[in-house]
Amino acid sequence: MKLSAMKLKFAKIYLIISLIGLFGQVMAQEYTLEKSGDTNIQIDFETSFNGSGFIEDEEHYYFLDGNSDNIHIAIINKSNLVQIDNIYLYKEGPSGIKNPMSLVLIDKNIGVYEFYSGKIKVIDKEGKVLKTFETKKNNPSSIGVMPLFMNPILNLDQQLIITQIAGIDYQTGLINYTNPVIKFFDLPTEKQTSILNYPENYKNPLAGGRHSFFSYTKNDNEKELVVSFPIDHNLYHIKNKQIKKVKVEGAIFESFENHYFGSFGDLKDLDYNKIKWKFWNSHSYGLLVFDPYREVYYREVKLPIKNPESLPQDAKEGKHRDYVILIYDKDFKFLGKSGIIENVNLTMSGGNYFISKAGLHLFKADQDNEDLMQFNTYKLKRK
């Protein structure tokens, strides 16, 4: 009898533990993202819907239109999402800006990143340069600075955050993943500090450079930066230049093996299409963004494109890629995930997004109106 009673006691304890675990899993997925409708930004006849680099102040959104003859920064009224003005960029002279690529707010003015020189030129509302910052001093030749929509230049408490993408090592012809990826540029002193390296699995045979383009986001309230790499489940939390690796839950896939080639010898003379198809046909992480209105992080998962080799030669990834978005609270607790998200473009070449009180707005893959920038809007919902 005593033995049976003891077995019954252990069975009850096991049941309680199992129920607690099950409850924890249910609680961990209590939120999702649901499509709530369409959001359109009305643009003028000079502005292309392929504008990039959304930044904002209290009243306006700004984005760079580098696709038109008159390169300019569009100014959008936040209250009605209508373009109200442009800041035209000079091409030559003392205020000339060549190959503008990214925008950042600096002391209520706009800083424009100049791609080849690495200079950030702070301009007024007339496009005249007020100050220039040199940000590429002492950069190794195998580092590329290419701020895109998922890794723009950020201003975090008077520190500019600048992406440093792995580039080609010209001695080996391979991507060099050994250099630090985040540069802090202190605005008052112009001192530069580089930290954080690519994760260990970047030592595997990789090709094509797409894995180089990581994403990061900032939480201004906590003065912290969080980094996500395409082929690493972990997140990297940075505060006061101190790095903490954060193991997060919620992954919808396990392995990154499909990204790797058999050996480094296999990387020589690879066909471009085979490299592209390998990436397209694999899971990876993309955009990471903090939503300050709801104090959550959204992390994009790229879903594999099936049989990419059967697509036309001129096929665009943004037309065929679907996504899932993972949701974390401000302390990186997993809250849930979206369903499959279709007909948005979150690829390197054409992605865009912005966040408002209404939700997360993702750039549509199909833009069919020259007078509008069109977005699908997603709201955070409790299940």
Side-chain angles (χ1 to χ4, degrees):
M1 291 294 292
K2 290 182 178 180
L3 185 59
S4 297
M6 188 176 293
K7 286 183 177 179
L8 181 61
K9 183 178 180 179
F10 280 120
K12 288 180 178 178
I13 293 172
Y14 178 79
L15 179 61
I16 290 170
I17 292 172
S18 298
L19 288 173
I20 290 172
L22 179 61
F23 179 73
Q25 290 178 14
V26 172
M27 289 298 291
Q29 298 194 48
E30 58 182 335
Y31 287 91
T32 188
L33 277 174
E34 291 184 357
K35 188 174 184 296
S36 61
D38 301 328
T39 298
N40 297 324
I41 294 177
Q42 185 175 325
I43 54 179
D44 66 22
F45 70 95
E46 282 189 289
T47 302
S48 166
F49 55 64
N50 284 317
S52 62
F54 269 78
I55 60 172
E56 61 181 294
D57 58 23
E58 292 184 1
E59 297 182 353
H60 305 105
Y61 295 113
Y62 305 87
F63 67 85
L64 176 67
D65 180 12
N67 299 293
S68 61
D69 292 333
N70 293 317
I71 297 175
H72 61 276
I73 297 168
I75 305 175
I76 310 299
N77 187 325
K78 273 188 172 181
S79 63
N80 60 8
L81 297 181
V82 174
Q83 184 176 352
I84 57 173
D85 207 349
N86 293 311
I87 301 173
Y88 294 96
L89 303 184
Y90 289 87
K91 296 179 180 179
E92 299 176 347
S95 292
I97 299 178
K98 297 179 180 179
N99 304 109
M101 192 166 186
S102 185
L103 307 178
V104 59
L105 283 180
I106 301 176
D107 297 328
K108 297 185 178 180
N109 291 305
I110 296 176
V112 183
Y113 180 76
E114 196 174 58
F115 179 54
Y116 290 107
S117 72
K119 296 175 181 177
I120 295 177
K121 297 184 176 181
V122 182
I123 62 172
D124 62 16
K125 293 294 179 12
E126 303 299 320
K128 294 181 179 178
V129 173
L130 305 174
K131 186 174 178 62
T132 298
F133 294 101
E134 300 271 359
T135 70
K136 285 183 73 172
K137 291 179 180 177
N138 304 319
N139 270 18
S141 60
S142 58
I143 282 181
V145 180
M146 191 174 290
L148 303 175
F149 82 101
M150 73 277 200
N151 55 11
I153 294 173
L154 301 177
N155 187 345
L156 181 64
D157 195 31
Q158 290 298 294
Q159 297 269 331
L160 295 185
I161 312 298
I162 302 173
T163 177
Q164 298 189 143
I165 300 298
I168 297 288
D169 184 325
Y170 291 105
Q171 291 185 339
T172 65
L174 301 175
I175 305 292
N176 182 358
Y177 289 112
T178 63
N179 294 309
V181 301
I182 299 290
K183 176 181 284 188
F184 286 84
F185 184 96
D186 184 72
L187 286 168
T189 66
E190 300 191 26
K191 180 181 177 181
Q192 305 181 33
T193 306
S194 296
I195 65 170
L196 184 64
N197 289 88
Y198 283 96
E200 281 294 308
N201 60 343
Y202 277 76
K203 294 179 180 179
N204 290 299
L206 295 166
R210 290 175 174 84
H211 312 91
S212 306
F213 289 87
F214 55 92
S215 182
Y216 52 59
T217 188
K218 65 174 180 171
N219 180 340
D220 280 310
N221 292 333
E222 301 295 332
K223 296 182 172 59
E224 60 189 16
L225 184 76
V226 184
V227 182
S228 170
F229 291 96
I231 54 170
D232 188 6
H233 292 303
N234 302 304
L235 295 174
Y236 295 82
H237 173 269
I238 302 173
K239 189 169 186 175
N240 298 323
K241 299 189 182 71
Q242 299 300 307
I243 304 166
K244 179 182 177 182
K245 183 164 74 171
V246 182
K247 294 184 178 181
V248 291
E249 298 179 348
I252 63 171
F253 65 100
E254 294 183 5
S255 174
F256 299 100
E257 290 296 324
N258 198 42
H259 287 274
Y260 310 143
F261 287 85
S263 69
F264 285 98
D266 294 338
L267 303 184
K268 295 180 180 179
D269 302 319
L270 276 174
D271 178 78
Y272 168 78
N273 283 322
K274 289 183 179 179
I275 296 172
K276 177 180 72 175
W277 294 335
K278 195 172 184 65
F279 186 80
W280 284 16
N281 194 33
S282 304
H283 286 93
S284 61
Y285 292 107
L287 175 69
L288 175 71
V289 59
F290 180 70
D291 180 341
Y293 298 98
R294 287 149 285 267
E295 293 195 309
V296 297
Y297 290 92
Y298 303 123
R299 191 185 196 188
E300 167 212 340
V301 179
K302 298 181 190 297
L303 301 180
I305 299 173
K306 295 181 180 179
N307 302 316
E309 65 278 0
S310 66
L311 297 174
Q313 283 291 319
D314 59 352
K316 303 296 184 184
E317 182 185 0
K319 294 284 188 180
H320 300 277
R321 183 77 84 169
D322 294 332
Y323 312 88
V324 167
I325 293 180
L326 308 180
I327 307 160
Y328 299 91
D329 71 9
K330 60 184 179 64
D331 298 314
F332 309 109
K333 175 189 173 185
F334 177 61
L335 298 179
K337 64 180 185 295
S338 72
I340 294 177
I341 292 177
E342 303 173 317
N343 191 31
V344 299
N345 188 351
L346 296 177
T347 60
M348 291 184 297
S349 59
N352 225 330
Y353 78 95
F354 70 102
I355 293 175
S356 72
K357 291 180 180 179
L360 172 65
H361 311 284
L362 302 178
F363 193 63
K364 284 188 177 183
D366 295 318
Q367 299 285 325
D368 56 11
N369 189 327
E370 293 184 354
D371 298 323
L372 301 173
M373 292 182 76
Q374 299 171 297
F375 296 81
N376 288 338
T377 297
Y378 297 85
K379 286 190 175 182
L380 186 66
K381 295 280 190 180
R382 187 185 288 271
K383 286 186 177 179

